[in-house]
Amino acid sequence: MNKNSDPPPARVLIVDDTPHNLRLLSAMLNKQGYAVECVTDGGAAIKQIAVNPPDLVLLDILMPNMDGYEVCERLKASEQTSQIPVIFLSALGEVFDKIKAFEVGGIDYITKPFEIQEVLARVRTQLEIRGAHLEVEQMNLELERRVRERTRELADANQQLLHMASHDALTGLPNRVFFMERLMEALNRTQEERDRQFAVLFLDCDNFKIVNDSLGHLVGDRLMMAVAKRLKSCIIPNGFLARFEGDEFTILIDQIKDIDRAKQTAKKIHKALTKPFYITEEEIFINASIGIVLGTHDYDRPEDLLRDADTAMYQAKAKGKARYQVFDAGMHAQSLARLLLENDLRRALQRNEFILHYQPIVHLATNRIAGFEALVRWHHPTRGVVSPYEFIPATEETGLIVPLGQWIMEEACRQIRQWQEQCNGGKMPISIGVNLSVKQFCQHDLIEQIDNILARTGLDPSSLKLEITETALIENERAALEILQQFRDRKIQLGIDDFGTGYSSLSYLHNFPIDTLKIDRSFITRLTEQGKHTAIIQAIVSLAQNLGMTVIAEGVEIAEQVTKLKELGCEYGQGYFFSKPLAPEMAWRAIASQRR
């Protein structure tokens, strides 16, 4: 007895409102071994096919409510039923009728009165063709599956071999060979881009030999694994960590402005290594000496860089270990200047040396002020006005951006509330935009801080617009969504600053409750040129409008840009064409002038 069961009979659906035709056709098809189902109108046919698709449909044309043409069109419009063959069976014999049957997707046409043998022959032929197609499709799918599986196996094997050749077996980190390759690539880029810089950190664990000698190499190996894991947590996004050999690690930090980024990484590593390691119930303390060298186009061999970094590392050991040392003596002066800047910034907060200027945001259609962005300025007692581009990064790196950001928000809220009180008893429809740094956004008590500021200043939350970067959203989407929702619950407006220069992911625009997109000035600068920048702005404006958001163009400087932005449907503009950032008294004059 054959253990393989016979295939199920082909299923044929007859759609005809003439009972005689249904009885005759179903009897003959059943006799040929087909499984036959019958319905008498088009609507019932659509429902029947959706529930249990047949292998072939015999379809009459002239039926009440829904004719055969419409039934066929609906079947062909659906992905699930488009491949089911349809044979029209109709008394309509005109050429026009047949042409229309084929146009709506019919595969054959039989004119009534029909010869049953002709019907059987055509049904058999179409089912054989369909069976052949299905078999070919199944064979192709199986072949594609096997090819994908084999390709994946080969790729996995190659990837594993490559990983083994380029990574340390103990810690899983990139090894010396891999690091040297990356270092050579960084050097080559400095030769092509003369202003490009990177940093190399050479790290040696202090007194590691004592651990090996006293607790054994097995404990030493486990300690190295734990140290590697802790170091990985200290590496910034553009950093590359490798185990060089023994208890030595190297770090490449690519594309930096100055040596301070490397110093911050070294400080972070030292802080992380102050915590004890617990290995086989042993509490072990270990730190590291770090040598730092700045990579520029003056170097042309990676060995020279490592030599200098190693020299700096030994100088750090000579000065007492558990510290870092920069090789380039010239960088010491720069470090000193940065330290003075940080000290001055701390004193500036205490001495109220910061002030806010307010740059108008203009409604392009009416040329009226719709709001302001609060921008911080620093009046240094001896240096005069210090550019935000100089001191804001320092506040970010030192954490001073948090208290400075709180002061900016409270002062901006106080000022806009004062202007509101001077206008119509507080009913002035002008908002104030305040930038929220990534560090501020990560504060666990941020919502409480904002609530307190709004309470102290008496400002309606709907008048406050918080501007955040794409980075702040992407780094922790779940937490960001929760925070932004609390903003939305308070009717605080939310804007994405410098849109188009960061992640620009469509997903967060859908997921996060965003009110405004600010197009980065880099796009506006080239707006009058023909090319992709105009298309990008058009896409951003269309996207924002479809999502119910408003759009502000930053850095508008000439009339041609305003004209183009209006043509593209952009609603608001900001930039020197309208006004530079204004001192408070000048901003108030602009408001008062507009009221008049």
Side-chain angles (χ1 to χ4, degrees):
M1 180 178 178
N2 187 358
K3 295 182 179 180
N4 296 324
S5 59
D6 294 329
R11 297 177 52 256
V12 178
L13 176 65
I14 305 173
V15 186
D16 197 318
D17 63 340
T18 305
H20 172 74
N21 290 342
L22 292 176
R23 287 193 297 270
L24 176 61
L25 288 170
S26 61
M28 297 302 298
L29 291 171
N30 276 320
K31 187 175 181 181
Q32 296 297 317
Y34 299 117
V36 181
E37 296 176 351
C38 300
V39 293
T40 58
D41 66 82
I46 294 294
K47 294 179 182 179
Q48 175 74 10
I49 293 170
V51 174
N52 195 7
D55 297 302
L56 183 139
V57 177
L58 288 174
L59 181 59
D60 190 14
I61 294 177
L62 298 177
M63 294 182 293
N65 299 325
M66 185 186 302
D67 63 24
Y69 295 138
E70 183 176 353
V71 173
C72 189
E73 283 182 323
R74 291 197 183 188
L75 292 181
K76 298 305 174 181
S78 170
E79 184 177 352
Q80 288 75 22
T81 59
S82 62
Q83 298 303 314
I84 299 174
V86 175
I87 298 177
F88 280 93
L89 199 65
S90 174
L92 299 175
E94 296 294 333
V95 173
F96 168 82
D97 300 311
K98 295 180 181 180
I99 291 174
K100 185 174 182 180
F102 288 113
E103 287 178 343
V104 298
I107 201 168
D108 206 345
Y109 193 101
I110 301 173
T111 304
K112 296 179 181 178
F114 50 79
E115 289 290 338
I116 193 63
Q117 293 302 322
E118 179 187 4
V119 174
L120 293 176
R122 297 198 183 191
V123 167
R124 181 170 60 253
T125 299
Q126 294 302 330
L127 287 174
E128 288 175 353
I129 293 172
R130 175 171 171 75
H133 285 166
L134 292 175
E135 185 176 353
V136 170
E137 289 177 4
Q138 190 62 37
M139 291 172 63
N140 287 337
L141 290 173
E142 178 62 17
L143 181 59
E144 291 174 2
R145 184 192 67 79
R146 292 183 181 182
V147 170
R148 287 196 302 269
E149 183 177 353
R150 184 57 178 162
T151 302
R152 185 172 59 251
E153 290 174 354
L154 292 173
D156 290 345
N158 289 334
Q159 190 65 31
Q160 185 176 2
L161 289 173
L162 179 61
H163 188 275
M164 291 172 61
S166 60
H167 287 75
D168 173 56
L170 179 65
T171 63
L173 293 176
N175 58 18
R176 178 174 183 157
V177 174
F178 196 176
F179 184 83
M180 295 297 285
E181 291 176 356
R182 291 292 292 269
L183 186 55
M184 192 67 233
E185 292 173 3
L187 276 173
N188 289 338
R189 285 192 291 268
T190 63
Q191 300 303 316
E192 298 169 356
E193 305 173 38
R194 306 291 283 182
D195 294 331
R196 191 183 184 105
Q197 299 180 131
F198 61 91
V200 173
L201 285 72
F202 197 104
L203 183 151
D204 181 85
C205 294
D206 296 327
N207 303 320
F208 178 72
K209 187 175 184 299
I210 297 176
V211 176
N212 269 344
D213 293 344
S214 60
L215 300 177
H217 288 275
L218 180 60
V219 173
D221 285 348
R222 295 184 62 179
L223 177 60
M224 280 297 97
M225 295 168 64
V227 168
K229 184 177 180 180
R230 200 168 290 184
L231 289 177
K232 286 173 68 176
S233 68
C234 301
I235 303 303
I236 58 178
N238 60 335
F240 183 78
L241 171 68
R243 187 187 183 197
F244 204 67
E245 60 184 19
D247 61 341
E248 295 176 341
F249 296 85
T250 47
I251 302 169
L252 170 65
I253 305 177
D254 199 9
Q255 202 169 0
I256 62 174
K257 293 182 179 180
D258 52 46
I259 204 68
D260 288 338
R261 182 61 63 87
K263 291 180 180 179
Q264 293 299 325
T265 300
K267 292 175 182 177
K268 191 174 182 181
I269 289 171
H270 283 140
K271 184 177 180 180
L273 293 179
T274 57
K275 300 176 183 179
F277 294 89
Y278 295 94
I279 310 294
T280 62
E281 300 181 355
E282 293 283 350
E283 185 182 62
I284 303 174
F285 288 88
I286 194 166
N287 218 305
S289 297
I290 304 174
I292 304 175
V293 63
L294 186 68
T296 67
H297 62 82
D298 294 329
Y299 288 93
D300 52 19
R301 296 196 312 166
E303 295 84 356
D304 295 338
L305 269 164
L306 289 172
R307 177 200 62 207
D308 292 345
D310 186 65
T311 299
M313 183 271 294
Y314 276 106
Q315 290 178 354
K317 281 187 179 293
K319 292 184 177 181
K321 301 180 180 180
R323 63 177 64 205
Y324 68 86
Q325 179 67 44
V326 178
F327 176 78
D328 187 355
M331 295 305 295
H332 177 70
Q334 186 177 354
S335 175
L336 180 60
R338 188 55 175 268
L339 179 61
L340 292 175
L341 177 64
E342 292 175 8
N343 291 337
D344 285 351
L345 281 170
R346 295 182 191 279
R347 285 192 291 267
L349 280 169
Q350 299 170 358
R351 299 173 181 175
N352 297 321
E353 295 175 4
F354 294 104
I355 64 169
L356 291 185
H357 282 192
Y358 300 88
Q359 187 167 34
I361 297 171
V362 177
H363 189 271
L364 297 181
T366 63
N367 205 35
R368 294 180 64 83
I369 297 173
F372 291 91
E373 180 181 0
L375 300 169
V376 66
R377 298 292 184 263
W378 179 19
H379 283 281
H380 192 280
T382 59
R383 298 175 57 189
V385 177
V386 181
S387 169
Y389 294 105
E390 181 178 352
F391 71 83
I392 289 296
T395 62
E396 289 276 4
E397 293 179 13
T398 60
L400 290 173
I401 191 64
V402 174
L404 177 59
Q406 292 175 1
W407 176 85
I408 292 171
M409 187 177 301
E410 181 149 2
E411 176 62 17
C413 291
R414 184 201 63 77
Q415 182 65 80
I416 199 73
R417 179 57 181 162
Q418 178 183 327
W419 289 338
Q420 288 177 343
E421 290 291 343
Q422 294 174 263
C423 293
N424 304 326
K427 297 181 179 179
M428 180 180 69
I430 292 182
S431 63
I432 186 70
V434 178
N435 291 291
L436 201 63
S437 73
V438 175
K439 289 188 183 297
Q440 285 179 277
F441 194 70
C442 295
Q443 293 287 302
H444 68 279
D445 61 344
L446 174 63
I447 300 298
E448 182 181 352
Q449 293 176 24
I450 295 175
D451 285 343
N452 291 337
I453 288 173
L454 292 172
R456 286 194 296 268
T457 60
L459 182 69
D460 190 313
S462 63
S463 297
L464 176 61
K465 178 179 290 184
L466 298 178
E467 298 182 5
I468 54 182
T469 63
E470 299 169 77
T471 303
L473 297 180
I474 299 301
E475 286 185 350
N476 191 340
E477 290 192 24
R478 181 174 297 180
L481 180 60
E482 182 178 344
I483 293 172
L484 296 188
Q485 191 57 56
Q486 292 184 68
F487 291 163
R488 173 59 61 87
D489 294 342
R490 289 161 172 76
K491 295 184 172 55
I492 296 173
Q493 299 180 62
L494 306 170
I496 300 296
D497 199 15
D498 300 330
F499 184 78
T501 60
Y503 293 91
S504 300
S505 169
L506 295 179
S507 63
Y508 72 70
L509 293 182
H510 284 283
N511 296 335
F512 295 133
I514 305 299
D515 300 295
T516 303
L517 299 182
K518 295 189 77 172
I519 304 175
D520 185 70
R521 66 180 63 247
S522 62
F523 295 105
I524 307 304
T525 301
R526 301 182 179 180
L527 180 58
T528 55
E529 303 174 9
Q530 295 296 325
K532 64 180 180 181
H533 293 87
T534 300
I536 291 173
I537 294 175
Q538 179 70 77
I540 293 174
V541 171
S542 298
L543 175 64
Q545 291 174 346
N546 289 334
L547 295 175
M549 303 175 188
T550 58
V551 180
I552 301 174
E554 295 183 288
V556 180
E557 296 184 354
I558 57 177
E560 289 84 349
Q561 293 170 346
V562 176
T563 302
K564 194 67 177 178
L565 287 168
K566 288 181 179 179
E567 293 175 358
L568 295 175
C570 183
E571 298 166 88
Y572 299 95
Q574 175 183 357
Y576 274 48
F577 176 80
F578 306 107
S579 172
K580 66 180 182 179
L582 301 171
E585 61 274 11
M586 297 300 295
W588 167 245
R589 290 182 186 177
I591 296 172
S593 174
Q594 179 169 286
R595 290 178 63 210
R596 291 194 296 270

